[in-house]
Amino acid sequence: MVTISRSELQGLLKSCPNLKLIEVLPETSYKEFHLRGAINIPLDDHFEGKILKVIPDKKQTIIVYSLNFECKSSEQAIQRLRKAGYKNIYDYEPGKIDWKAAQLPIEMGLQQSNALKKQQGFLSFVE
């Protein structure tokens, strides 16, 4: 499994404008706050089906994150994505707690529909 640090994530956000940023925590956690531009696909029994619907291209660059180092949801999501045939997947293991602590851009509420349209909306903070 490829884990990435906060600075590596920032670099990927800058160099891969088409990457997909996925929060795998339940919707309630996503609504509380999430990384700007993230899509919420909770790690549940329907995870693979939802991912395939949102990201049909299995070569797409995907960054998965959860709460923090102690939360294993992102690790489990990576394993399930690999089994489903996805290739370019990374785990931002420090999670959204690390991102918020660094005072990097977050969003609150359910903004999934906008997140899909804002492919580059979360890139401005990196420059």
Side-chain angles (χ1 to χ4, degrees), residues 18-31:
N18 295 323
L19 72 79
K20 300 291 185 192
L21 187 58
I22 307 293
E23 178 170 316
V24 296
L25 296 170
E27 185 179 287
T28 53
S29 181
Y30 178 83
K31 284 199 281 189

Side-chain angles (χ1 to χ4, degrees), residues 12-117:
L12 280 172
L13 290 171
K14 191 172 186 177
S15 65
C16 295
N18 295 323
L19 72 79
K20 300 291 185 192
L21 187 58
I22 307 293
E23 178 170 316
V24 296
L25 296 170
E27 185 179 287
T28 53
S29 181
Y30 178 83
K31 284 199 281 189
E32 189 178 321
F33 77 93
H34 52 273
L35 279 64
R36 185 183 298 168
I39 302 166
N40 183 221
I41 303 179
L43 189 63
D44 59 18
D45 293 342
H46 307 287
F47 178 73
E48 289 84 353
K50 291 175 189 175
I51 283 282
L52 193 56
K53 198 177 256 189
V54 175
I55 310 170
D57 180 3
K58 295 192 176 185
K59 294 178 185 173
Q60 170 72 49
T61 301
I62 302 171
I63 310 293
V64 176
Y65 73 91
S66 59
L67 190 62
N68 57 23
F69 284 109
E70 295 174 5
C71 181
K72 299 301 178 194
S73 295
S74 61
E75 184 180 321
Q76 293 168 6
I78 293 286
Q79 291 170 0
R80 289 172 68 176
L81 286 167
R82 278 218 177 102
K83 281 185 184 177
Y86 288 89
K87 306 290 180 203
N88 300 314
I89 47 180
Y90 302 89
D91 183 2
Y92 174 47
E93 197 175 28
K96 67 189 212 173
I97 296 296
D98 173 72
W99 192 262
K100 187 176 182 183
Q103 299 182 341
L104 293 167
I106 59 168
E107 297 174 327
M108 296 177 199
L110 275 180
Q111 298 167 344
Q112 278 184 266
S113 58
N114 291 338
L116 289 173
K117 295 174 189 170

